[in-house]
Amino acid sequence: MKATIAIDTMVASENQKKDILFVLDVFGSHNSSVDLTEVKAATQDLTNYVLENDSNRVAYITSDNVNETITNFTNNIEEATAAINSISYKETRNYTL
């Protein structure tokens, strides 16, 4: 599976503030089918595009059955990049019985 994001199709209005929440599935079984490096690169490209407007903000959540907030909404590109770089696959799902 390859992650492809078509940035040119998402712009509905140039001047409105946008909050974009990225939810990334980091369950380890994807390790063989999805290259996390490519996912991170695509996420970074979209983040760079979104944050060209200082009014926009991004946030990141990872999920492996339990959601983990990587960063709250921010318009700081350095903070966003650090959050993206910190994302890694989890080896197992967290199940609660």
Side-chain angles (χ1 to χ4, degrees):
M1 172 187 259
K2 184 173 180 173
T4 303
I5 300 172
I7 294 175
D8 60 324
T9 62
M10 68 169 284
V11 178
S13 59
E14 289 292 331
N15 298 320
Q16 291 184 350
K17 176 183 173 184
K18 298 172 189 73
D19 286 343
I20 308 294
L21 175 62
F22 292 89
V23 180
L24 302 168
D25 186 343
V26 294
F27 178 48
S29 70
H30 296 299
N31 222 354
S32 61
S33 61
V34 177
D35 183 354
L36 188 58
T37 304
E38 289 181 22
V39 172
K40 286 181 171 183
T43 303
Q44 184 68 58
D45 288 345
L46 185 53
T47 296
N48 292 343
Y49 177 77
V50 168
L51 294 183
E52 285 178 2
N53 180 332
D54 292 340
S55 297
N56 295 341
R57 301 182 307 167
V58 295
Y60 308 93
I61 293 176
T62 58
S63 178
D64 66 333
N65 195 42
V66 174
N67 295 336
E68 178 183 355
T69 301
I70 302 302
T71 186
N72 290 317
F73 282 102
T74 183
N75 63 356
N76 181 303
I77 191 67
E78 290 84 13
E79 184 180 349
T81 298
I84 293 167
N85 289 335
S86 74
I87 295 169
S88 61
Y89 279 123
K90 308 290 185 198
E91 293 303 318
T92 59
R93 287 238 188 241
N94 293 319
Y95 289 107
T96 303
L97 300 176

